[in-house]
Amino acid sequence: FAQSKGTVYYLVPTLLDEFQTGSVSALELFLKQVGYEMKTLNADNKTDAQQSQMNDVIALKPKAIILAAVDFNALKPSVEAARAAGIPVVEFDRQITATPSDFTSVAGTVEIGHIAADQAEALLKAKNGSVKGKILQVLGDPGDPYTLDIQKGFEEKMKAFPDVKIISLPAMQWEASNAGTIVADQILANPDIDLIFSHAAHLSVAAVASLEAAGKRPGDVMLMSSNGAPVGLDLIRKGWLNVEVEQPLYAQAAAVAMFMDKVANKQEIKPGDYDVLGLKSVVTKEAWGPNIKIPGAAITKANVDNPAFWGNQKPPTDTVKSVE
Amino acid sequence: MSPRTRHSLELVLDNLVWFMLVFVLAVFSIFIPNFFQLGIFANIIEASSVLGVMSIGLALVIIAGHMDLSVESVAALSAMAVGIMFCSSGIGLGLQLHPDWLMVPVSLAIAVAVGAVIGVANGFLIVRLQMSAFIITLASYIWVRGLVLVVSGGRSAQDLAPAIRWFGIQRLAGLPLTAWIAVACFVVFSLILAKTPFGRHLVMIGGNETATFRAGIRVNRNLIIAFVLAGAIAGLAGWLLAIRTSGATANLGVGLLFNAFAAVVIGGVSLKGGVGTLPGVYAGVLLLSAINTAINLMGLPANFTQVIHGLLVLAAVLLDAFKQTIRQRLA
Amino acid sequence: MSPRTRHSLELVLDNLVWFMLVFVLAVFSIFIPNFFQLGIFANIIEASSVLGVMSIGLALVIIAGHMDLSVESVAALSAMAVGIMFCSSGIGLGLQLHPDWLMVPVSLAIAVAVGAVIGVANGFLIVRLQMSAFIITLASYIWVRGLVLVVSGGRSAQDLAPAIRWFGIQRLAGLPLTAWIAVACFVVFSLILAKTPFGRHLVMIGGNETATFRAGIRVNRNLIIAFVLAGAIAGLAGWLLAIRTSGATANLGVGLLFNAFAAVVIGGVSLKGGVGTLPGVYAGVLLLSAINTAINLMGLPANFTQVIHGLLVLAAVLLDAFKQTIRQRLA
Amino acid sequence: MSEPLLVLDNVAKNYGAIQALKGISFSIGRGEVVALLGDNGAGKSTLVKIIAGGLEPTSGRMLFEGKEFLAKSPAEAKAAGIETVYQDLSLCTNVDVVANFFMGREITHKVLGVPVLDERAMEAVVAKALANAGTRIPSLRTKVEHLSGGQRQAIELNRFVHWGGKLVLLDEPFAALGVEQTRRGLDMIRQVASQGIGVVIITHIMQQAFQVADRIVVIRQGVVAGDVARNKTSPDAVINMITGETLAGAGPAG
Amino acid sequence: MSEPLLVLDNVAKNYGAIQALKGISFSIGRGEVVALLGDNGAGKSTLVKIIAGGLEPTSGRMLFEGKEFLAKSPAEAKAAGIETVYQDLSLCTNVDVVANFFMGREITHKVLGVPVLDERAMEAVVAKALANAGTRIPSLRTKVEHLSGGQRQAIELNRFVHWGGKLVLLDEPFAALGVEQTRRGLDMIRQVASQGIGVVIITHIMQQAFQVADRIVVIRQGVVAGDVARNKTSPDAVINMITGETLAGAGPAG
Ligand SMILES: Nc1ncnc2c1ncn2[C@@H]1O[C@H](COP(=O)(O)OP(=O)(O)OP(=O)(O)O)[C@@H](O)[C@H]1O
Ligand SMILES: Nc1ncnc2c1ncn2[C@@H]1O[C@H](COP(=O)(O)OP(=O)(O)OP(=O)(O)O)[C@@H](O)[C@H]1O
Ligand SMILES: [Mg+2]
Ligand SMILES: [Mg+2]
């Protein structure tokens, strides 16, 4: 990667969450490999702040804008404005279906919920013989569509099992100690909780702390969380966490890099199967433009050390190449 | 020193925040690439319109010696109300009115009404039950935002009816109409505060409530009006927010409250009440907006931005500290 | 009415918030399944320890007539400092000291020191430059949280050294040591505020700063001490927070500030300064914590929790309104 | 004299356990100047506040112009024609002299139907009023917080003259006034009274009382200790009424 | 008399454009009582605040006990032995009488090395002081906000006696005091002076001045208009000095 092909802006919704922080470094790494500079703007989970950032960035005329929207669809007008100004927009991690964009690379939050449901099914069966029992679902902020989608996916699949009772409580603003309090209270109110499903690994950390304080040992209560952050993997190694539903951060980022040339030069992206860091991924033409879907994976004690998981903080050594 | 120089100096001090604004803009224009262009200045004003309108209402109650923490949530609720009714996708119901332009007054009325209602609730509890405005409006801040979650189910509405969106797109002298609305609000309320008995009474109530009460001013009535105004104006801010977003999200406007307070205080309004003017507040709003834009353009590592932001706000305020020292000199 | 009944009534009124607490607990115990058990009450106290400690510092500066919005971020920074040093995974460096218990005083010292330093900064700017405490500490609130982002890179640390975690796990009379630490703080600072010249001076400064200045009290010195205390105590709160979550995340403690203010005001501290006692504040803290726990146990749809929370806080406050009316009767 | 302007009938006021007023009864006629004297803490200001609508009496009744009367708020009292100058000055120090003088009664002229403050007209009035009172003030646009004690009291004292009314209550209006200003103030009170306005004036200075009052009412520890026409008594006699014999047991009373 | 206690040499003070003091020069001897008289807005309080360290003079110098002196803060002035009673009372109305009386000088006893307030001891002292002053206060534990104007002033006036010092500045200390309390106050001042303490007292009541003062200093519009021994002048003469001829041009100046 000799001379720079230009600057790309990444609008990240927040940095208070390890997945997002990870995405910044991953995107930066891969884009560099295909010859792009990347600058990042943090919206602090404020939709209106992100809109201002879009307006300002448009004034800077970058090669492209990578947008991880604070709210999936609220940025529609800004996206339209950017593309009207001739700046291609890539949706990263958070899908925008309301308006066309030049490329979309997401794991699919609803799908994460589905995978989680499959795992929960297996865990409960293993523990109670059949799929029944109590699940405490610790959501993120109830105003955040990201957590709501996971909940949607999880619950629509769990509907199949009537004798599974799900208690859902929100950890306001994704704050860890809120999750801790919820677990501490629920474990007393419903001592028969079989599984705790937190929508982010850092919430599981606080949950574990509360369990510990309540005198529980690893394994007494099953835990599961989503997004595959390093903390989650550590908890698996310690035996506290049974499953971590990983979001393929590296692959998602790599995909963006692979197609950046095409996006920047406004060439069309062909549907079909692509190999992204060894993960088989599908590009489809959707109403909102070319869309690559990369399957998420379930991390358990068995495969926890697989370096492909971004949670292991081992960026892939093989460099990505632009798709010709 | 000669009376004239003294006089002009007093003038500068009284409007220091405006000079700060000019100063800051100059500095940014010099040191930040791409900052100095009309588009950016337009952005600064455009981005400040919601915050600006909201700050007006907040400033009014603070000058009257109280405060209203609920404005942020109220704006969000109004935005959500408008969004749900007049958005065509997401959780929007896509309500249609004919002729189209009818949607403008209707949506506006709804937004303002929502705000006014909550303002009445706040005002009543605070004035009649003599509760601390802080705690009452803090509660509102929480439950009103909660209400937004309830009505929206945490989901969002998009595609606001074009007739309403028009205000956000149509430009006049380079600025979208929403910005002009904010400016108009500042002009109107500045006049009300400075030139009408009502405004005068608010200031005096903020200065010495007992005195005004003894003088036969209907303090309670004035205060309730102030809270209703704050709510209604917040509603208007919400309407603008909805236009800007072309819809509404459950956590829309989160964080505006702190900026509004910062703007009001930087603008020279005393939280003890009785002191402050609205033009100053607008300068404060623009100052904060300028800082935000500057940070967006500086392109520094994302996790440093917040520190920078805080320190810049601090710097802006510190400039204000000179005021005191210079005044000392004068005296 | 007879002096004795009057006297006892006065007593009730002066400690109303405690009676409110009892009342609320009773109501919850009756209507919420599983609420009435020792474990839950223990949880309420345990969960309130961080908020409680933080509220002490906040109450001190408010009683002295100022305020400190930075406590939340300060606590987060201290927690992060402790986390980074003494956590063994995540971004933790897993620092080891021998003997193990040495890590307790060291980590505590670090947490408190971090807080104190920021307290000094706040106090100095506010007192020496005579700036509004609100705006200065608002800036700190922003840049300190920013600093957390910078040092953590947005990542988190977990697995706090067992020697430190011990305080969160080891129980005494059913309560974890962290809770006892909070209680101890309240006792100590209540005494300081009520019985020492320093405390007396803070109250009087809050009541009439000019008067105390004229009386030769070193106002500036006292105020700076108050801010340093607020910072240091927030640091302690951060230490407890780190223990509670066995580590630190970048957004740790977000939202605590509003609860702290609510607790302080519900506890009977006037934001105008000069009025309030710490036991009252502790009652306020427990009240909020009880409400939180109740909501966790009610099992209502997630997006309703916030409305309920806001309305319950409001209700709690409204009870307080009776105080006024009854006092009227008495007079 | 015709039926009295204001009749107090056994008015009492408790602050919690403290009985500030134990039952006060006396009356004020039209155009009559009554000097209300009494020791510190006797209850004078409390009584004034009750008449002026700032405080609710614990018991007792009042007749104003023959009709049952109880002002729920100062606004009501003002509406009924009762003007009050309070002991603890009630000025808004954050605004200027003019604004304070016209507090709550601003002169306005309509602009497009909106009432707008007429600063010039107001300033003229204030300038005239203060000139008559012999009070020098650097500028009528200076904030009151920058004025001297006497200057502040002058503003408050001269407000009421401008508004007249039927009954005027003056709680130690001269406490901070200079010699000349006090003299003019006393003259002014006589003029006001001569217009048939009733005046109640509280003071601790005997000559002032004897100079201006028609009748002297003394309150001691919440009860009327004397009510005599000025020309039927002497300063020393009044002073004895004020202090009474109780002073032996001075100092904190339970 | 030996070298004077305090010498003011051409002290001037401007508030922005306003010249409050145009150059004041006079001196106060040990054990001497100086009555500082002057019209409203003459500059008396300003002068007091300058001596007491509350205000910085624009120009001029002061000698205290022969040494160059300029208090940067009230604390410094107090340390030097200057006690002040301000015209606008400076009490913390949110705490009780005792706390106010001992503001900044609380009596404490050590408990484990920590200074702890000795409420009983303090209460006893206050009770005694107020009894001597003849002021009745319902309870020393009532908050000052619940006290009458005179009761408040009594607290403030009696504080200084308790602390003595070398020079005492009293800015209209009797304005709100009752007859008896004022009498006792005047006696007290004489006692204080007899202990060799210098006293400056500001008042608008001639007899008070002539009753207590050794010397009378008159300030008019920021300059010394007269400085005479009491026994060499008369109230009328002094009043003329105070008002001067300028009163023709009364009303808003500047
Ligand atoms: N708000 C209050 N609460 C409790 N007690 C009060 C209150 N206001 C006044 N008092 C008490 O009532 C008594 C009468 O007070 P008031 O102010 O009427 O006295 P006064 O005659 O005006 O005295 P002064 O001549 O000093 O002004 C005093 O003992 C005072 O302590
Ligand atoms: N802080 C201030 N800013 C501006 N002008 C002031 C300030 N304080 C006082 N003045 C002006 O200075 C002059 C003197 O004020 P000062 O209080 O010394 O008068 P005084 O002699 O004490 O009058 P009084 O007998 O009424 O107390 C007055 O004209 C007043 O308006
Ligand atoms: Mg009185
Ligand atoms: Mg004076």
Side-chain angles (χ1 to χ4, degrees), chain D residues 18 38-42 45 87-88 126-128 130-131 134-140 142 148-152 154 172 174-182 184 204-208 220-221 239 242-243 246-247 249-254, chain E residues 18 38-42 45 87-88 126-128 130-131 134-140 142 148-152 154 172 174-182 184 204-208 220-221 239 242-243 246-247 249-254:
Chain D
I18 299 150
D39 208 349
N40 291 135
S45 298
Q87 181 176 15
D88 51 335
V126 178
K128 192 160 155 309
L130 291 180
T135 302
R136 251 191 238 82
I137 291 186
S139 151
L140 297 182
T142 46
S148 78
Q151 291 167 324
R152 296 181 191 202
E172 307 192 19
F174 304 136
L177 287 192
V179 183
E180 174 64 14
Q181 291 79 355
T182 307
R184 298 199 186 193
H204 290 294
I205 311 295
M206 283 307 126
Q207 313 122 285
Q208 291 179 0
R220 186 161 78 236
Q221 296 180 46
I239 290 179
I242 293 172
T243 55
T246 49
L247 249 176
Chain E
I18 299 151
D39 207 349
N40 291 135
S45 299
Q87 179 176 16
D88 50 334
V126 178
K128 189 157 157 310
L130 290 180
T135 302
R136 253 192 238 80
I137 290 186
S139 150
L140 297 182
T142 45
S148 80
Q151 291 168 324
R152 296 181 190 202
E172 307 192 20
F174 305 135
L177 287 191
V179 184
E180 173 63 14
Q181 290 79 355
T182 305
R184 297 199 187 194
H204 291 295
I205 311 296
M206 282 308 127
Q207 313 123 285
Q208 291 178 2
R220 186 162 78 234
Q221 298 180 46
I239 291 178
I242 294 174
T243 55
T246 49
L247 251 176

Side-chain angles (χ1 to χ4, degrees), chain B residues 331, chain D residues 136-139 142-153 176-178, chain E residues 13-21 37-49 55 87 171-172 202-204 219 222:
Chain D
R136 251 191 238 82
I137 291 186
S139 151
T142 46
K143 295 204 165 126
V144 169
E145 64 188 336
H146 295 157
L147 294 186
S148 78
Q151 291 167 324
R152 296 181 191 202
Q153 194 156 38
L177 287 192
Chain E
K13 173 69 182 174
N14 299 351
Y15 294 106
I18 299 151
Q19 285 188 298
L21 297 179
L37 307 184
D39 207 349
N40 291 135
K44 306 181 295 297
S45 299
T46 302
L47 185 59
V48 164
K49 286 179 196 147
L55 272 179
Q87 179 176 16
D171 195 348
E172 307 192 20
I202 297 177
T203 176
H204 291 295
I219 297 188

